[in-house]
Amino acid sequence: QVQLVESGGGLVQPGGSLRLSCAASGITFRIYVMGWYRQTPGKQRELVADMTSGGSTNYADSVKGRFTISRDNAKNTVYLQMNSLKPEDTAIYYCNAAYRGTRNDYWGQGTQVTVSS
């Protein structure tokens, strides 16, 4: 059974930082593309950042220079370090694990990030 469990969300003031974690089980973590997505009410889920098994990264333009994705294959965990947070970063953040070219595509339950003063 595949499980992706996110943690680290919460309420933070503008300009602050948060670090999200996603612990995976039930998959061969090191071969999966791991990503973070976010969604706000009435909008489609959007990619925030992802990282391939080889370590290549991809970021949404809106978070470049502020967010950093990383992974620890020994701990089956992917992280999202979020700095200089803005109110528009407020969303539910979801962890994703995808084995491209297959139907193996899994989601976590989401964690709320709220940026507000």
Side-chain angles (χ1 to χ4, degrees):
Q1 182 181 359
V2 177
Q3 281 192 314
L4 301 177
V5 180
E6 300 106 332
S7 61
L11 173 64
V12 64
Q13 292 187 340
S17 297
L18 282 175
R19 188 194 196 203
L20 305 183
S21 300
C22 171
S25 59
I27 60 172
T28 306
F29 180 84
R30 59 180 173 79
I31 67 174
Y32 275 71
V33 175
M34 299 301 299
W36 288 96
Y37 291 71
R38 66 188 181 187
Q39 189 170 23
T40 55
K43 292 188 177 181
Q44 286 191 333
R45 194 171 295 186
E46 64 174 4
L47 174 70
V48 176
D50 63 20
M51 177 177 271
T52 68
S53 57
S56 297
T57 58
N58 179 42
Y59 293 92
D61 287 342
S62 59
V63 307
K64 284 181 181 176
R66 300 188 298 122
F67 291 10
T68 303
I69 188 171
S70 61
R71 64 192 293 165
D72 185 336
N73 290 339
K75 295 183 178 180
N76 288 1
T77 301
V78 61
Y79 305 96
L80 185 68
Q81 178 66 45
M82 305 186 294
N83 298 329
S84 302
L85 282 161
K86 304 176 181 180
E88 51 263 44
D89 295 317
T90 296
I92 299 174
Y93 284 71
Y94 296 90
C95 176
N96 174 261
Y99 189 26
R100 290 178 177 168
T102 74
R103 295 182 179 180
N104 295 343
D105 193 318
Y106 306 104
W107 294 92
Q109 81 287 353
T111 186
Q112 177 71 47
V113 171
T114 302
V115 184
S116 175
S117 55

